[in-house]
Amino acid sequence: MAEDQAGPDLSKGLSLADLPDGGKLVGHVGDEQVLVTRQGSDAFAVGAHCTHYHGPLVDGLIVDGAVRCPWHHACFDLRTGEAVRAPAFSPLDTWTIEQRDGKLFVREKRARPSVKPRAASGGPNRIVIVGGGAAGFAAAEMLRRQQYGGEIVMLSSDDAPPVDRPSLSKDYLAGSAPEEWVPLSPPSFYSDNSIDLRLRSAVAGVDVGAREVALAGGEKISFDRLLVATGAEPVRPSIPGANPSDVLVLRSLDDSRAIIERAKTARRAAVLGASFIGLEVAASLRARNIEVHIVAPEQRPMERILGPEFGDFIRALHEEHGAVFHLQTTASAIDGKQVRLSDGSVIEADLVVAGLGVRPRVGLAESAGLRVDRGVVVDAYLETSAPGVFAAGDIARWPDPHSDESIRVEHWVVAERQGQVAALNMLGGRERFSAAPFFWSQHYDIPINYVGHAERWDELTVERSIAGKDCLARFKREGRTLAVASIFRDLQSLEAEVRMERDEAR
Ligand SMILES: Cc1cc2nc3c(=O)[nH]c(=O)nc-3n(C[C@H](O)[C@H](O)[C@H](O)COP(=O)(O)OP(=O)(O)OC[C@H]3O[C@@H](n4cnc5c(N)ncnc54)[C@H](O)[C@@H]3O)c2cc1C
Ligand code: FES
């Protein structure tokens, strides 16, 4: 039997006894895999795989009429198939269901409703988005999904249309994903949706009073609502000899291409920094059979975010794959192909990549007079100190209802979900940004998922075993779980997300 015909033929009928209330299973209709689930008297049939990276939705969690993906927590409405929360944007297919004689039959696939923009009436005439990244893309997509019929101008200083940035340090860099997979959507998406995407268009200033932005070339563009989503830029090492042409950083598609180009002839690489990006770059270079040395000041990689046990595990995992750590030391100078370390040792490397963290690009917001305090300060609706001007993504510091702190994070899914919420609020909605922060990171074949936000904790409990690659770690402060990190415990990770959201809703 072909893989896409696994499970029962749902068109021939499934006994209700085989699908109890709340249950879900995968079968097929023709050669398509379909997930069926019963929720009370209702039954639903939707595509079995997430439209983000094809995660198996049967392993996900059903909450309030929607299914959440086990891999990166995208969320789909069971009735309509709509991708209601990033990181997925495309809807699931849905099928009609007939219930008869104690059986459930999956019938024909429903046609997808086409979204036609309404004429802008009463709402903003023109929305300008500064930034062609995660938050900017998600906002533009949501504006059109909401049938916003006014103008959308998206200004990006990037050379490429919005890309799947996480892939730039993982599959694309490792050589296991072709470049066609990297754009967030095909080029026709922008023209089909009348999104005026202008690449290589750096915004030099925002005049909040006059409600216009000025491009570096001098052109001015007026706006009725503005979203600032300028992201972050990699920190470059400020040590002797660290010229940008010799020490590469990774943020854009061009950066990733440049590393791949050098990797074609490199034999040995030095990665400065044991951050998520640094470690993912190291793993991808190992996949290309390059000898990798990781240099970092901390005692254990990722200890500050995940604690010592995860730190030891991550180190061992990378060492198992041949990476060499130089910890509790830093690069002090680059001298041709030699990386000199502060402990006196020297690494010979023909490729050097710095993964030293990022700085939020807040300069534009600051010069526009928006309130900035370790990020652009926004309220629960993601509006800045200037009415009608919103901020989202890596630059935004928002009041997080889960930790009761004002936080700024650098996570892909958060940036996209903030873009979506900002879009709704730019159209006059009053939607709070209350999603529990989520990120994932991939090291070789091991995904680490993290929900919540814990900058400090006083208790760390681990269910199962981190070293056994099957665990759920809870980061608590004063008895309250602030964050959960997991390996191959996707359902519990989703349950933790729901608990955090419900606790907030109390
Ligand atoms: C290689 C890599 C891998 C990552 N992997 C993960 C991961 O696995 N999981 C995870 O949770 N997070 C990951 N992240 C982090 C994630 O990508 C970011 O949190 C996310 O992209 C932030 O979205 P953003 O929209 O705020 O900024 P960005 O996506 O960086 O977009 C900012 C945009 O603003 C534009 N811009 C900046 N200034 C101006 C200006 N003045 N005028 C016009 N345009 C401007 C930029 O050109 C860019 O298009 C990764 C990041 C990188 C670089
Ligand atoms: S595969 Fe489903 S959210 Fe990524």
Side-chain angles (χ1 to χ4, degrees):
M1 186 184 284
E3 199 210 359
D4 54 8
Q5 291 198 330
D9 183 343
L10 298 169
S11 64
K12 295 200 168 137
L14 179 74
S15 163
L16 289 178
D18 291 336
L19 189 65
D21 187 12
K24 52 185 172 354
L25 62 79
V26 174
H28 68 97
V29 176
D31 57 7
E32 293 192 83
Q33 281 204 274
V34 176
L35 173 82
V36 282
T37 177
R38 272 177 69 202
Q39 305 291 312
S41 56
D42 292 324
F44 303 96
V46 297
H49 289 103
C50 177
T51 59
H52 178 228
Y53 286 177
H54 214 62
L57 294 175
V58 71
D59 296 334
L61 186 67
I62 293 181
V63 187
D64 300 336
V67 58
R68 298 192 185 195
C69 176
W71 286 0
H72 316 113
H73 296 200
C75 184
F76 299 90
D77 186 297
L78 285 169
R79 213 169 279 279
T80 63
E82 183 185 354
V84 285
R85 297 217 296 193
F89 294 101
S90 300
L92 296 174
D93 286 325
T94 60
W95 281 258
T96 57
I97 282 194
E98 187 188 345
Q99 292 192 46
R100 178 164 50 85
D101 306 330
K103 280 189 157 184
L104 177 157
F105 299 83
V106 177
R107 299 301 191 198
E108 67 282 2
K109 195 193 276 187
R110 291 200 187 96
R112 282 189 189 169
S114 63
V115 179
K116 290 217 172 56
R118 291 195 203 109
S121 59
N125 284 318
R126 180 186 290 151
I127 294 179
V128 171
I129 297 170
V130 185
F137 174 86
E141 195 274 344
M142 183 55 87
L143 287 170
R144 286 299 182 233
R145 221 196 286 180
Q146 294 298 311
Q147 298 181 281
Y148 168 62
E151 279 182 60
I152 302 175
V153 181
M154 195 171 174
L155 303 165
S156 170
S157 52
D158 280 348
D159 292 326
V163 292
D164 185 16
R165 237 177 262 293
S167 170
L168 301 181
S169 54
K170 303 180 186 69
D171 294 356
Y172 175 64
L173 185 60
S176 50
E179 192 160 313
E180 303 90 85
W181 293 2
V182 172
L184 279 181
S185 61
S188 57
F189 168 82
Y190 303 95
S191 47
D192 291 352
N193 288 284
S194 305
I195 295 169
D196 181 6
L197 169 63
R198 302 196 200 171
L199 301 175
R200 294 174 284 279
S201 297
V203 174
V206 177
D207 186 334
V208 168
R211 293 197 115 39
E212 60 185 22
V213 299
L215 298 187
E219 187 189 345
K220 294 193 169 161
I221 302 169
S222 63
F223 62 81
D224 298 299
R225 297 280 182 281
L226 176 70
L227 175 65
V228 186
T230 45
E233 61 201 317
V235 173
R236 290 181 183 273
S238 53
I239 51 172
N243 310 313
S245 56
D246 296 330
V247 179
L248 305 184
V249 293
L250 177 52
R251 184 75 189 181
S252 65
L253 175 58
D254 273 353
D255 294 338
S256 195
R257 283 181 183 143
I259 298 174
I260 291 170
E261 201 45 46
R262 296 274 180 100
K264 284 180 184 159
T265 51
R267 285 179 45 250
R268 188 182 294 158
V271 174
L272 312 184
S275 63
F276 282 118
I277 303 275
L279 292 169
E280 288 181 353
V281 167
S284 294
L285 293 178
R286 285 299 302 131
R288 289 176 177 270
N289 269 326
I290 294 171
E291 187 179 324
V292 174
H293 292 257
I294 303 166
V295 180
E298 51 266 43
Q299 194 181 349
R300 298 179 177 91
M302 307 310 308
E303 181 174 8
R304 189 177 56 79
I305 297 169
L306 295 172
E309 214 182 319
F310 257 107
D312 286 338
F313 165 72
I314 290 170
R315 176 181 179 162
L317 178 65
H318 283 263
E319 284 175 343
E320 266 168 39
H321 286 83
V324 179
F325 280 92
H326 302 258
L327 296 170
Q328 296 179 287
T329 184
T330 53
S332 54
I334 313 280
D335 191 357
K337 292 196 168 179
Q338 295 191 324
V339 180
R340 296 187 181 281
L341 306 189
S342 55
D343 65 6
S345 54
V346 175
I347 301 169
E348 298 281 342
D350 34 25
L351 168 62
V352 183
V353 184
L356 301 173
V358 294
R359 281 195 198 98
R361 288 192 189 106
V362 295
L364 189 65
E366 208 159 26
S367 63
L370 305 181
R371 198 174 149 224
V372 171
D373 171 15
R374 295 163 297 143
V376 179
V377 177
V378 293
D379 63 15
Y381 308 98
L382 305 180
E383 197 164 19
T384 67
S385 55
V389 178
F390 293 74
D394 284 3
I395 58 166
R397 180 169 287 278
W398 82 97
D400 172 42
H402 310 286
S403 57
D404 290 330
E405 287 174 352
S406 133
I407 66 171
R408 187 185 71 73
V409 301
E410 291 146 7
H411 304 344
W412 180 253
V413 173
V414 171
E416 290 184 330
R417 290 182 179 173
Q418 288 190 340
Q420 294 180 320
V421 168
L424 299 175
N425 292 336
M426 286 194 287
L427 296 180
R430 288 295 278 168
E431 178 136 345
R432 289 171 174 273
F433 181 73
S434 58
F438 168 82
F439 76 77
W440 83 98
S441 182
Q442 182 83 27
H443 302 257
Y444 308 97
D445 52 347
I446 302 296
I448 299 175
N449 282 7
Y450 184 99
V451 191
H453 184 75
E455 279 173 27
R456 290 166 289 116
W457 60 87
D458 53 31
E459 190 187 343
L460 172 52
T461 60
V462 179
E463 261 173 44
R464 301 284 183 124
S465 150
I466 296 176
K469 301 174 186 166
D470 172 17
C471 67
L472 189 89
R474 290 194 170 81
F475 300 80
K476 299 184 183 179
R477 197 162 68 224
E478 291 164 16
R480 183 172 170 205
T481 301
L482 293 178
V484 164
S486 59
I487 298 174
F488 296 129
R489 292 260 133 194
D490 294 333
L491 200 54
Q492 283 97 328
S493 172
L494 283 166
E495 285 164 355
E497 178 181 70
V498 172
R499 265 196 303 279
M500 283 179 205
E501 287 170 3
R502 294 209 166 138
D503 186 41
E504 183 271 322
R506 240 185 358 194

